[in-house]
Amino acid sequence: MAIHASSGMNRLIKIIRNTCFKYEGVFEMTDKEKVISPDGHVNSIETDYELGQDNIKSSIGPISFDVHNRVFIVAGIIVLSIAFFSIVFQDLAEVIFVTMRDWLTVELSGFFIMAANIFLLVCILVTVTRLGSVRLGGTDAKPDYSYLGWFSMLFAAGMGTSLIFFGVSEPLTHALDSYGGAVVNEQGIRSDWSPLGGTPGDVVASGSVGMAASAYHWALHAWGIYAFMALALALFAFNKGLPLTMRSMFYPILGERIWGWPGHVIDVLAIVATIFGIAPTLSFGSAQTASGLNYLFGLPDGDLAQIIIAILITGGALVSVLLGIKAGIKKLSEINMILAAILLLLVVMVGPTLQIIGGVGDSFIAYLGFLPELSNPFGRSDQNFAAGWSAFYWAWWVAWSPFVGMFIARISRGRTVREFMIAVLLIPSSVCILWFSVFGGLGLDMYFNGGYTALKEADLPLKLFVMLDRLPLAEITSFITMMLIVIFFITSADSGALVLDSMAAGGKMETPTPQKVFWCMSSGVVVVALILGGGMSALQAMTVSTGLPFAIVLLVASYSVIKGLRDEPVKGKIAQGNKPVLLKHK
């Protein structure tokens, strides 16, 4: 039995190693590749704009730079000013951040929930209509990756530090809140955090609600936001012939004005939203690393420990940046996906295997059953859950979408919009539900059926370690978890720096290394500053604050994407009024 399991794991590791990590070319593009040449017919957008024409390209001593003069300066000033304010005026910053977070999430929770619904509905619309037949890259474009390689990279995009952080804690938290039922204060307002109406005293129903609420935040709606962003970037870069930047998707609305201040504002918003979307992920990683080191080895915990860890791991990310994509991100990502697969398989094998496997199906059923209620933006009685959880998540995913969207866009050329949407929506969503089902489901069983009260009492960053401690091979699984957190932290900071740098360089993908170093360090500085200026409240406040205007920007972009798709020819068919153009490389 052990030999068979080991052999199966070795085969899985080999598949992951050989197919997941073809990062070469995903982020790399030289200035000469202003447009990735389409194959077949497209309706391109003709413009005189040249990639990098507004850039400042120079050097100061050994430090060279090539940045968009206005976008880089404005975005840099905004990010560093917020960091400076958080460090220098810590008490005032905490009050402002908490007040801002509470007002935005409570007053605008319905807007964020509705926005997430709209992005998912747009994705479904383009999938089931004629628009789904449009091929990204031209009517004759061929995919750059096989289905297995493409699916594997989509799987990789769905994994990260936050999934490790919330894998046990979120389903258990929602289930416990639901089990306690609704609590109404003297003013007649609910003060509990239970999703929906609560399931007081019902263990089975509480577990189902806990899993469904977690999946709601991590599955279709989340990936609808990412898929929409990726589609917009891919369409206007691969089919319309514009630079791979946020402003490009607004050409149908703004025309040539996207190269002026309207476009600058869009790119600045994208940069600021992205850096404050990355910050919570890095903060969760540092918090869980500090808590894990304290739990396993008795090392100090707290804000100072988190700050030291954030600085050290940012240093690791800088090394990865200096090594480059092939030696940095690619190798680290390969290691991490193998470790994630090993951890998942080990937990399934050493835990109650049949029960875990059976729970996967139950999780999918619960998710689909509760989805209409959870995604309802109107008349919600569970205001704490809708505002404190759902509104924050949608703002966070919107802020994070330029990073994930650009990665998905770069690996999806050659796919039809229909197969693109089906794969991007279903594969990562299924991976996330599987992860929550295994880790969250096991945590629920340990507490409700096994009486493991330590799991309830543990802080959020510790719940995974406390659960693993109850299983055989706890030392091995806890060590793997620590490695996963640290490496995910590094790859998130490194990959985020690449995307931020590209946006601040007017869409260029090949830029001087010092720029990538700047954005990598900026991410670390922002995390440290916000920890000092209010901790998680500050991080949540800035994520929601930057996610709000960028969500509005993306909602407006829905019109551009649909209009852009309607103009595209489909192989064998020509839409009325379309004149397909065979583009040559500029």
Side-chain angles (χ1 to χ4, degrees):
M1 182 71 177
I3 295 175
H4 177 73
S6 176
S7 175
M9 186 178 293
N10 287 336
R11 286 198 296 272
L12 178 62
I13 292 172
K14 186 176 180 180
I15 290 173
I16 294 171
R17 183 176 62 244
N18 290 339
T19 62
C20 268
F21 302 101
K22 300 178 180 179
Y23 277 85
E24 300 92 336
V26 172
F27 284 112
E28 295 173 323
M29 183 167 67
T30 64
D31 292 350
K32 293 180 180 179
E33 297 174 295
K34 173 184 174 181
V35 179
I36 299 177
S37 300
D39 298 307
H41 296 289
V42 295
N43 272 348
S44 65
I45 292 174
E46 296 299 326
T47 177
D48 294 330
Y49 182 83
E50 293 292 333
L51 183 67
Q53 73 177 38
D54 293 326
N55 283 21
I56 301 173
K57 188 172 184 179
S58 186
S59 61
I60 302 175
I63 301 176
S64 56
F65 53 90
D66 183 1
V67 296
H68 190 289
N69 55 355
R70 295 174 179 85
V71 171
F72 177 83
I73 293 171
V74 175
I77 289 174
I78 292 174
V79 170
L80 294 180
S81 296
I82 293 172
F84 176 80
F85 174 75
S86 301
I87 293 173
V88 176
F89 304 100
Q90 295 179 21
D91 294 337
L92 177 60
E94 183 173 4
V95 173
I96 292 175
F97 288 142
V98 171
T99 303
M100 185 165 53
R101 179 203 62 185
D102 292 345
W103 188 88
L104 287 170
T105 53
V106 171
E107 299 299 327
L108 298 176
S109 59
F111 165 79
F112 284 113
I113 293 172
M114 177 58 76
N117 290 340
I118 291 172
F119 292 129
L120 180 59
L121 288 173
V122 170
C123 292
I124 295 172
L125 173 67
V126 300
T127 303
V128 300
T129 62
R130 168 204 169 272
L131 304 180
S133 300
V134 173
R135 189 171 293 276
L136 299 175
T139 54
D140 297 326
K142 297 293 188 294
D144 295 328
Y145 302 95
S146 67
Y147 273 117
L148 183 57
W150 186 45
F151 291 164
S152 297
M153 285 190 281
L154 290 177
F155 170 82
M159 295 294 295
T161 302
S162 300
L163 203 57
I164 307 296
F165 185 94
F166 287 105
V168 174
S169 63
E170 185 169 349
L172 183 61
T173 299
H174 294 324
L176 288 170
D177 288 336
S178 186
Y179 186 77
V183 179
V184 180
N185 61 23
E186 296 178 354
Q187 288 75 37
I189 301 173
R190 280 183 59 177
S191 59
D192 64 280
W193 287 76
S194 170
L196 305 177
T199 54
D202 191 330
V203 171
V204 175
S206 298
S208 296
V209 170
M211 295 304 299
S214 302
Y216 168 56
H217 294 144
W218 291 81
L220 290 176
H221 281 77
W223 287 93
I225 295 171
Y226 296 152
F228 172 79
M229 172 62 80
L231 173 63
L233 289 169
L235 173 67
F236 286 94
F238 303 152
N239 294 63
K240 302 302 183 182
L242 300 179
L244 194 64
T245 60
M246 299 301 124
R247 71 176 74 199
S248 293
M249 67 182 74
F250 287 88
Y251 197 96
I253 298 174
L254 298 174
E256 290 293 311
R257 286 175 293 172
I258 68 168
W259 313 123
W261 272 108
H264 302 341
V265 171
I266 291 168
D267 281 348
V268 168
L269 278 175
I271 292 171
V272 175
T274 301
I275 202 163
F276 287 109
I278 293 171
T281 299
L282 302 185
S283 179
F284 288 138
S286 61
Q288 196 167 29
T289 302
S291 296
L293 292 173
N294 174 262
Y295 182 76
L296 297 173
F297 306 110
L299 296 179
D301 196 0
D303 288 350
L304 179 60
Q306 292 180 36
I307 289 170
I308 293 173
I309 289 169
I311 293 171
L312 291 175
I313 298 183
T314 300
L318 286 175
V319 173
S320 179
V321 167
L322 295 173
L323 289 174
I325 291 173
K326 295 180 182 180
I329 297 176
K330 177 179 179 292
K331 295 297 183 183
L332 290 174
S333 297
E334 180 175 354
I335 293 170
N336 236 23
M337 292 310 300
I338 292 172
L339 289 175
I342 292 173
L343 179 62
L344 184 71
L345 289 175
L346 280 176
V347 170
V348 172
M349 288 190 294
V350 302
T353 306
L354 294 179
Q355 181 178 320
I356 291 174
I357 294 173
V360 174
D362 294 337
S363 297
F364 277 91
I365 293 171
Y367 168 56
L368 295 176
F370 285 104
L371 185 59
E373 293 179 84
L374 290 167
S375 57
N376 172 33
F378 306 111
R380 296 286 290 262
S381 62
D382 54 344
Q383 186 60 46
N384 284 339
F385 172 79
W389 283 94
S390 298
F392 168 68
Y393 264 122
W394 302 144
W396 187 11
W397 295 159
V398 166
W400 186 252
S401 63
F403 165 51
V404 179
M406 190 169 291
F407 174 79
I408 294 174
R410 292 288 292 158
I411 65 174
S412 300
R413 184 180 182 275
R415 304 290 174 187
T416 66
V417 171
R418 184 169 293 113
E419 65 179 326
F420 169 86
M421 281 298 175
I422 291 173
V424 175
L425 288 176
L426 297 185
I427 292 175
S429 294
S430 299
V431 170
C432 291
I433 295 174
L434 173 64
W435 189 271
F436 278 111
S437 180
V438 171
F439 290 90
L442 187 54
L444 291 172
D445 179 67
M446 284 185 179
Y447 176 75
F448 283 109
N449 299 325
Y452 190 32
T453 57
L455 196 54
K456 174 185 177 181
E457 296 165 359
D459 293 334
L460 288 181
L462 270 181
K463 290 189 186 297
L464 175 57
F465 293 104
V466 173
M467 188 201 77
L468 294 175
D469 198 37
R470 188 83 166 188
L471 297 173
L473 306 179
E475 294 84 359
I476 296 175
T477 53
S478 295
F479 177 76
I480 292 174
T481 299
M482 289 296 301
M483 293 293 294
L484 274 171
I485 296 167
V486 171
I487 300 176
F488 269 134
F489 194 149
I490 292 173
T491 53
S492 294
D494 188 350
S495 303
L498 293 177
V499 173
L500 287 166
D501 178 46
S502 175
M503 290 191 289
K508 287 189 174 183
M509 300 299 290
E510 277 295 312
T511 58
T513 299
Q515 295 174 207
K516 300 180 180 68
V517 170
F518 170 81
W519 288 112
C520 186
M521 291 180 65
S522 295
S523 300
V525 169
V526 166
V527 172
V528 171
L530 295 181
I531 289 174
L532 291 172
M536 190 50 63
S537 297
L539 289 162
Q540 291 174 336
M542 291 312 306
T543 299
V544 175
S545 299
T546 54
L548 173 62
F550 198 55
I552 296 171
V553 166
L554 292 186
L555 287 172
V556 175
S558 300
Y559 169 80
S560 291
V561 172
I562 293 175
K563 187 176 188 303
L565 286 172
R566 286 174 59 86
D567 292 340
E568 281 299 301
V570 176
K571 191 170 184 179
K573 300 178 182 179
I574 299 178
Q576 185 176 2
N578 267 356
K579 182 181 179 183
V581 178
L582 182 60
L583 244 185
K584 294 184 179 180
H585 183 61
K586 291 184 180 180

